[in-house]
Amino acid sequence: MDRYGLIGYPLGHSFSISYFNQKFADEKINAKYENYEISDIDQLPEILDRYPDLCGLNVTIPYKEKVIPFLDSLSPEARAIGAVNVIRVKHEGNNTILKGYNSDVIGFTQSIEPMLDKKWHKKALILGTGGASKAINYGLKSLGIEPVFVSRYERPGTIQYDKITLEVVKEYNVIVNCTPLGMYPKTEECPQLPYEAMDNHTILYDLIYNPDQTLFMRKGAEHGADVKNGLEMLLLQAFASWEFWHGKDK
């Protein structure tokens, strides 16, 4: 039996475990997907040793960047982004070969592209600076959008929340939430933004999918913004993960 799984910390009942085990059942694939909750990335070799039938992993927070030193190679996109969320595990004799990929960028670009109007959407704010935000940055640039990171802290190449004025929201009218603010169970939290500056040319895209409409999305929609959660991105990521695990080497 082939084995796949998710590494991260903490892990709840993840989308991936439900999606892949349902896929295996529906398509009569002799495989199993499990969550591997590890409190330190240094525990990854233990997982690989314990499960010699492991064929692939997904990676979630906080290890999308920390996992890179453990890998033998990276896809060009993963290298450019600097974050990995898919690992293909190959066994060659006594050696285990790990290659890292990034499906975040595929899921994100394919799901946001239909929302974009080149006439109106030229600049974006990326809320957060973690591993997912790096893929969002790469994806937005590939779509011809000029992104800027928003951070709570003073960091090079970022702006801070208290500097986001009404005028900034009008100019940077694509806003992507890559923070956990608003995620279940803390559903009454949202990024601090001047939502009153938003209108029907504003796009609010939230990587969160539980709840299906976050407070960030609700407050934008009240002012006419076009809003979307991260569920379609997750589905597209899952498709891409399977391709990376089983497709020709890239």
Side-chain angles (χ1 to χ4, degrees), residues 16-30:
S16 296
I17 196 169
S18 304
Y19 171 82
F20 281 110
N21 283 323
Q22 189 63 52
K23 175 184 175 70
F24 299 153
D26 292 346
E27 300 182 22
K28 296 181 171 54
I29 297 169
N30 185 25

Side-chain angles (χ1 to χ4, degrees), residues 33-136:
Y33 192 103
E34 298 176 312
N35 283 350
Y36 303 119
E37 187 173 87
I38 53 176
S39 58
D40 192 295
I41 192 59
D42 289 332
Q43 295 170 267
L44 176 58
E46 295 174 29
I47 299 293
L48 296 167
D49 288 343
R50 193 182 313 158
Y51 302 107
D53 51 356
L54 200 58
C55 298
L57 288 167
N58 289 119
V59 184
T60 190
I61 55 175
Y63 301 134
K64 291 185 180 185
E65 296 157 293
K66 293 176 182 176
V67 77
I68 290 175
F70 291 84
L71 307 179
D72 298 289
S73 62
L74 296 172
S75 71
E77 278 191 330
R79 186 176 300 282
I81 293 164
V84 162
N85 72 324
V86 182
I87 300 171
R88 187 174 68 194
V89 183
K90 290 181 73 176
H91 303 280
E92 297 179 357
N94 293 325
N95 296 325
T96 301
I97 311 298
L98 307 179
K99 182 165 183 178
Y101 300 85
N102 192 297
S103 65
D104 281 336
V105 67
I106 297 169
F108 173 69
T109 54
Q110 289 182 0
S111 61
I112 198 172
E113 191 169 18
M115 304 175 73
L116 299 172
D117 182 334
K118 290 185 179 179
K119 178 182 175 185
W120 294 105
H121 303 125
K122 302 180 189 304
K123 296 183 179 182
L125 297 176
I126 301 173
L127 311 182
T129 56
S133 68
K134 290 185 171 185
I136 301 310

Side-chain angles (χ1 to χ4, degrees), residues 148-221:
V148 172
F149 289 104
V150 181
S151 174
R152 289 175 294 168
Y153 311 106
E154 293 280 349
R155 293 177 177 169
T158 70
I159 63 171
Q160 282 59 58
Y161 284 92
D162 59 2
K163 303 287 196 307
I164 301 175
T165 61
L166 301 174
E167 292 74 24
V168 169
V169 168
K170 292 290 186 187
E171 184 179 0
Y172 291 82
N173 57 2
V174 178
I175 305 177
V176 185
N177 180 33
C178 302
T179 78
L181 286 173
M183 184 183 294
Y184 179 84
K186 297 181 179 180
T187 56
E188 293 309 309
E189 295 182 359
C190 68
Q192 295 304 306
L193 301 169
Y195 290 91
E196 65 275 16
M198 298 175 185
D199 57 28
N200 63 348
H201 296 309
T202 310
I203 292 173
L204 296 191
Y205 190 109
D206 203 327
L207 269 59
I208 293 169
Y209 61 94
N210 183 15
D212 58 7
Q213 188 176 54
T214 59
L215 184 58
F216 167 73
M217 293 166 63
R218 288 206 309 273
K219 291 181 76 162

